């Protein structure tokens, strides 16, 4: 069974850092990209960042709202992906979902076929 | 950035009725569009990818159509458990973008 479990969320002050982890199981983690999607309280979904698999050299993409502040990494041997969030802002407050991302041949991007349950990040003083 | 506009914002229908949800893109995304269902307190679930392909385990009452800029998610006969918010997402261009969602209420 495919499972994705996020951890590392919590309350953090503006300007500080936080690292989220995503633990994957039940599939060949190294063969897939990992995408992070967030949802502010009572709001819709917002794509945040994506890290490709090793075949695509683990390259990353970021939404403009987090570019330069968030970075991604992965440890395929452990089935782990990380979202390092620096210089956090109040507007980064959201539930952060880790997803398994599938590349659509012919397209440029990815859609998410499995989602974790999410971890809440609250940025507040 | 591709902007996805979903309509209506809310749809209130009775069990057994047909639901038609719209997603319009600000520029062509070909058929690189997905639909997700999100129930309260739960993570989203993939319903449709490549505009019209049902994801694994998704009931046949869910279908997707469209290409270019206009897309439709149809629920042929609503069940009580279909009460949820539905989102479209394009993956033709970066950044990946989502629509604002359509809430489906079951009377």
């Amino acid at each position: 069974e495919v499972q994705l479990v996020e951890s590392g969320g919590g309350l953090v002050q503006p300007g500080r850092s936080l690292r989220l982890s995503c633990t994957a199981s039940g599939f060949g983690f190294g063969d897939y990209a990992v995408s992070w999607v967030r949802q502010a309280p009572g709001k819709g979904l917002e794509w945040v960042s994506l890290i490709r698999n090793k075949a695509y050299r683990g390259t990353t993409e970021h939404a403009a709202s987090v570019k330069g502040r968030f970075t991604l990494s992965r440890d395929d041997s452990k089935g782990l992906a990380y979202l390092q969030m620096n210089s956090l802002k109040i507007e980064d407050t959201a539930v952060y979902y880790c997803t398994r991302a599938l590349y659509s041949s012919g397209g440029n991007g990815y859609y998410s076929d499995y989602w974790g349950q999410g971890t809440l990040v609250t940025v507040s003083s | 950035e591709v902007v996805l506009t979903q309509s209506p914002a809310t749809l209130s229908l009775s069990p057994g009725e047909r639901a038609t949800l719209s997603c319009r893109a600000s520029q062509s995304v070909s058929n690189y569009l997905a639909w997700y269902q999100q129930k309260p307190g739960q993570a989203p679930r993939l319903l449709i990818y490549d505009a019209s392909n049902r994801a694994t385990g998704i009931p046949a009452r869910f279908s997707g159509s469209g290409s270019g800029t206009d897309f439709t998610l149809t629920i042929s006969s609503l069940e009580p458990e279909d009460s949820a918010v539905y989102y479209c997402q394009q993956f033709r261009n970066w950044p990946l973008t989502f629509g604002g969602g359509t809430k489906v209420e079951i009377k």
Side-chain angles (χ1 to χ4, degrees):
Chain A
E1 180 192 6
V2 172
Q3 283 197 319
L4 299 158
V5 179
E6 304 91 340
S7 59
L11 175 63
V12 61
Q13 292 180 325
R16 303 296 289 252
S17 299
L18 203 61
R19 188 179 80 160
L20 304 184
S21 300
C22 173
T23 304
S25 61
F27 66 100
F29 180 73
D31 294 332
Y32 292 86
V34 174
S35 187
W36 292 85
V37 177
R38 68 185 179 185
Q39 187 169 36
K43 302 296 184 182
L45 302 173
E46 180 190 15
W47 173 74
V48 175
S49 299
L50 178 140
I51 183 165
R52 296 180 178 85
N53 64 11
K54 189 168 55 179
Y56 291 89
R57 292 175 290 186
T59 52
T60 60
E61 304 284 348
H62 298 279
S65 57
V66 306
K67 201 165 189 176
R69 300 189 297 123
F70 289 14
T71 58
L72 293 164
S73 60
R74 60 189 296 160
D75 184 340
D76 290 349
S77 68
K78 296 180 180 177
L80 283 165
Y82 302 101
L83 179 65
Q84 177 69 43
M85 305 184 293
N86 299 328
S87 303
L88 282 161
K89 304 176 180 180
I90 290 174
E91 52 265 37
D92 293 320
T93 294
V95 172
Y96 284 73
Y97 295 102
C98 166
T99 81
R100 188 177 84 167
L102 293 182
Y103 180 72
S104 181
S105 59
N108 278 333
Y110 296 76
Y111 60 95
S112 297
D113 66 340
Y114 285 93
W115 297 60
Q117 281 305 302
T119 187
L120 176 62
V121 172
T122 303
V123 184
S124 174
S125 54
Chain B
E1 172 174 320
V2 177
V3 176
L4 298 178
T5 302
Q6 291 189 241
S7 62
T10 304
L11 200 52
S12 184
L13 295 168
S14 299
E17 288 194 297
R18 183 184 192 90
T20 303
L21 287 65
S22 173
C23 176
R24 179 161 290 178
S26 59
Q27 62 189 82
S28 176
V29 298
S30 186
N31 66 325
Y32 301 115
L33 190 106
W35 290 93
Y36 302 90
Q37 175 194 64
Q38 187 179 33
K39 297 180 180 180
Q42 295 185 18
R45 175 174 72 146
L46 176 68
L47 297 176
I48 302 286
Y49 63 95
D50 291 348
S52 61
N53 294 322
R54 266 191 307 276
T56 303
I58 301 304
R61 65 180 182 274
F62 290 93
S63 64
S65 63
S67 67
T69 60
D70 290 304
F71 300 87
T72 300
L73 175 70
T74 301
I75 310 172
S76 60
S77 179
L78 279 166
E79 300 281 347
E81 62 264 31
D82 298 334
S83 178
V85 179
Y86 294 82
Y87 295 94
C88 57
Q89 180 229 325
Q90 67 82 24
F91 47 98
R92 174 64 180 85
N93 293 323
W94 296 99
L96 308 180
T97 50
F98 288 88
T102 291
K103 184 176 184 179
V104 173
E105 296 177 340
I106 310 297
K107 292 178 184 175

